Amino acid sequence: MTRYNYSSGAPWEKIVGYSRAVKVGNTIEVTGTVALNEQNQVVGVNDPYAQTRYILEKIAKVLEQAGAGMKDVVRTRLFVTDISKWEEYGRAHGEFFADIRPCTTMVEVSALISPEYLIEIEATAILTH
C-alpha cells in the first residue's frame, strides 16, 4: 500500500516529526489540530465554539486534499481544557456531524501546547467508495 503524507507547511512538523495527515490505503488519519491560522494567529480566543468550528474547517480542507470529506469521518477525538464548556464544543461538532455521527471522544486535559488553545481535535476517515 502506498503512503501519502500531507503537510501544512508548519515549521514544527519537521522539528517534531509529524504530518498534518497521513493516508494509507483507504484510511486517513488527521493529526491533532488547533485553531491556528496561516498567519500563526489563534482564531477564536476565549471562544470554545469558534475554535471548534475553525478546527473542523481545517480538518475538512486536509481531508479534501486526501480525496475524502467529512462524510468519511468515522472517529473524532476532542481534547479540551475545560470540559464544562462541552455544549459549546459539541454544538460546533454537531454542525458538521449531526447526520454523519462518527464515534467521538471528548477528554479534558490539563493544558495544550499554548494556553490560548481551548481544544485540539484528531480525526480518522475511511474511504468506502
CSV table of all heavy atoms in Angstrom, one decimal, residues 2 8 25 34-35 41-42 51 58 71 77-78 82 86 90 95 99 122 128-129:
chain,number,residue,atom,x,y,z
A,2,THR,N,0.4,2.2,-0.7
A,2,THR,CA,1.1,3.5,-0.8
A,2,THR,C,0.7,4.4,0.4
A,2,THR,O,-0.4,4.4,0.8
A,2,THR,CB,0.8,4.2,-2.1
A,2,THR,OG1,1.1,3.3,-3.2
A,2,THR,CG2,1.6,5.5,-2.3
A,8,SER,N,1.1,20.8,6.3
A,8,SER,CA,0.5,22.2,6.4
A,8,SER,C,1.6,23.2,6.1
A,8,SER,O,1.3,24.4,5.9
A,8,SER,CB,-0.1,22.4,7.7
A,8,SER,OG,0.9,22.5,8.7
A,25,GLY,N,-3.8,3.4,2.1
A,25,GLY,CA,-5.0,2.7,1.6
A,25,GLY,C,-6.2,3.6,1.6
A,25,GLY,O,-6.2,4.7,1.1
A,34,VAL,N,-5.3,22.4,16.1
A,34,VAL,CA,-5.7,23.6,16.9
A,34,VAL,C,-6.2,24.7,16.0
A,34,VAL,O,-6.0,24.7,14.8
A,34,VAL,CB,-4.6,24.0,17.9
A,34,VAL,CG1,-4.3,22.9,18.9
A,34,VAL,CG2,-3.4,24.4,17.1
A,35,ALA,N,-6.8,25.7,16.7
A,35,ALA,CA,-7.3,26.9,15.9
A,35,ALA,C,-6.2,27.9,15.7
A,35,ALA,O,-6.3,29.0,16.2
A,35,ALA,CB,-8.5,27.5,16.7
A,41,GLN,N,-1.9,33.0,14.0
A,41,GLN,CA,-2.7,33.7,15.0
A,41,GLN,C,-3.8,32.7,15.4
A,41,GLN,O,-4.4,31.9,14.6
A,41,GLN,CB,-3.4,34.9,14.3
A,41,GLN,CG,-2.4,35.9,13.8
A,41,GLN,CD,-3.0,37.0,13.0
A,41,GLN,OE1,-4.0,36.7,12.2
A,41,GLN,NE2,-2.6,38.2,13.1
A,42,VAL,N,-4.1,32.7,16.7
A,42,VAL,CA,-5.1,31.9,17.3
A,42,VAL,C,-6.5,32.5,16.8
A,42,VAL,O,-6.7,33.7,17.0
A,42,VAL,CB,-5.0,31.8,18.8
A,42,VAL,CG1,-6.2,31.0,19.4
A,42,VAL,CG2,-3.7,31.2,19.2
A,51,GLN,N,-13.4,28.2,18.1
A,51,GLN,CA,-12.2,27.4,17.9
A,51,GLN,C,-12.5,26.0,17.3
A,51,GLN,O,-11.9,25.5,16.4
A,51,GLN,CB,-11.4,27.2,19.2
A,51,GLN,CG,-10.6,28.5,19.6
A,51,GLN,CD,-9.5,28.2,20.6
A,51,GLN,OE1,-9.1,27.1,20.9
A,51,GLN,NE2,-9.1,29.3,21.2
A,58,LYS,N,-10.6,23.3,9.1
A,58,LYS,CA,-9.2,22.9,8.7
A,58,LYS,C,-9.1,21.4,8.4
A,58,LYS,O,-8.5,21.0,7.5
A,58,LYS,CB,-8.2,23.3,9.9
A,58,LYS,CG,-7.8,24.7,10.0
A,58,LYS,CD,-6.9,25.0,11.1
A,58,LYS,CE,-5.5,24.4,11.0
A,58,LYS,NZ,-4.6,24.8,12.1
A,71,LYS,N,-17.9,13.4,5.4
A,71,LYS,CA,-18.8,12.3,5.4
A,71,LYS,C,-18.1,11.0,5.6
A,71,LYS,O,-18.7,10.0,6.0
A,71,LYS,CB,-19.6,12.2,4.1
A,71,LYS,CG,-18.7,11.9,2.9
A,71,LYS,CD,-19.4,11.9,1.6
A,71,LYS,CE,-18.6,11.6,0.4
A,71,LYS,NZ,-17.2,11.6,0.4
A,77,ARG,N,-11.6,12.9,18.1
A,77,ARG,CA,-11.2,12.9,19.4
A,77,ARG,C,-11.0,14.4,19.8
A,77,ARG,O,-10.2,15.1,19.1
A,77,ARG,CB,-9.9,12.2,19.6
A,77,ARG,CG,-10.0,10.7,19.4
A,77,ARG,CD,-8.6,10.0,19.3
A,77,ARG,NE,-8.7,8.7,18.8
A,77,ARG,CZ,-8.7,8.4,17.5
A,77,ARG,NH1,-8.6,9.4,16.6
A,77,ARG,NH2,-8.8,7.1,17.1
A,78,LEU,N,-11.7,14.8,20.8
A,78,LEU,CA,-11.6,16.2,21.2
A,78,LEU,C,-10.9,16.3,22.6
A,78,LEU,O,-11.3,15.7,23.5
A,78,LEU,CB,-13.0,16.8,21.3
A,78,LEU,CG,-13.8,17.0,20.1
A,78,LEU,CD1,-14.3,15.7,19.5
A,78,LEU,CD2,-15.0,18.0,20.3
A,82,ASP,N,-11.4,22.7,29.2
A,82,ASP,CA,-12.4,23.0,30.2
A,82,ASP,C,-13.7,22.2,29.8
A,82,ASP,O,-14.5,22.6,28.9
A,82,ASP,CB,-12.8,24.5,30.3
A,82,ASP,CG,-13.8,24.8,31.3
A,82,ASP,OD1,-14.4,23.9,32.0
A,82,ASP,OD2,-14.1,26.0,31.6
A,86,TRP,N,-18.5,21.8,27.4
A,86,TRP,CA,-18.8,20.7,26.4
A,86,TRP,C,-19.9,21.1,25.4
A,86,TRP,O,-19.9,20.7,24.3
A,86,TRP,CB,-19.1,19.4,27.1
A,86,TRP,CG,-20.4,19.4,27.8
A,86,TRP,CD1,-20.7,19.7,29.1
A,86,TRP,CD2,-21.7,19.0,27.3
A,86,TRP,NE1,-22.0,19.6,29.4
A,86,TRP,CE2,-22.7,19.1,28.3
A,86,TRP,CE3,-22.1,18.5,26.0
A,86,TRP,CZ2,-24.0,18.8,28.1
A,86,TRP,CZ3,-23.4,18.2,25.8
A,86,TRP,CH2,-24.4,18.4,26.8
A,90,GLY,N,-19.5,20.9,21.5
A,90,GLY,CA,-20.5,19.9,20.9
A,90,GLY,C,-21.4,20.6,19.9
A,90,GLY,O,-21.7,19.9,18.9
A,95,GLU,N,-22.7,20.6,14.2
A,95,GLU,CA,-23.0,21.3,12.9
A,95,GLU,C,-22.3,20.6,11.7
A,95,GLU,O,-22.8,20.6,10.6
A,95,GLU,CB,-22.5,22.8,12.9
A,95,GLU,CG,-23.4,23.6,13.8
A,95,GLU,CD,-22.9,25.0,14.0
A,95,GLU,OE1,-21.9,25.4,13.4
A,95,GLU,OE2,-23.5,25.7,14.9
A,99,ASP,N,-25.6,14.4,11.0
A,99,ASP,CA,-26.1,13.3,10.2
A,99,ASP,C,-25.0,12.2,10.0
A,99,ASP,O,-25.4,11.1,9.7
A,99,ASP,CB,-26.5,13.9,8.8
A,99,ASP,CG,-27.7,14.8,8.9
A,99,ASP,OD1,-28.5,14.6,9.8
A,99,ASP,OD2,-27.8,15.7,8.1
A,122,GLU,N,-8.5,15.5,16.8
A,122,GLU,CA,-7.9,14.5,15.8
A,122,GLU,C,-9.1,13.9,15.1
A,122,GLU,O,-10.2,13.8,15.6
A,122,GLU,CB,-7.2,13.3,16.5
A,122,GLU,CG,-6.0,13.7,17.4
A,122,GLU,CD,-5.4,12.5,18.1
A,122,GLU,OE1,-6.1,11.5,18.2
A,122,GLU,OE2,-4.3,12.7,18.6
A,128,THR,N,-14.9,4.7,1.6
A,128,THR,CA,-15.7,3.5,1.3
A,128,THR,C,-16.2,3.4,-0.1
A,128,THR,O,-16.9,2.5,-0.5
A,128,THR,CB,-16.9,3.4,2.2
A,128,THR,OG1,-17.7,4.5,2.1
A,128,THR,CG2,-16.5,3.2,3.7
A,129,HIS,N,-15.7,4.4,-0.9
A,129,HIS,CA,-16.2,4.4,-2.3
A,129,HIS,C,-15.0,4.2,-3.2
A,129,HIS,O,-13.9,4.1,-2.9
A,129,HIS,CB,-16.8,5.7,-2.6
A,129,HIS,CG,-16.1,7.0,-2.3
A,129,HIS,ND1,-15.6,7.3,-1.0
A,129,HIS,CD2,-15.6,8.0,-3.0
A,129,HIS,CE1,-15.0,8.4,-1.0
A,129,HIS,NE2,-14.9,8.9,-2.2
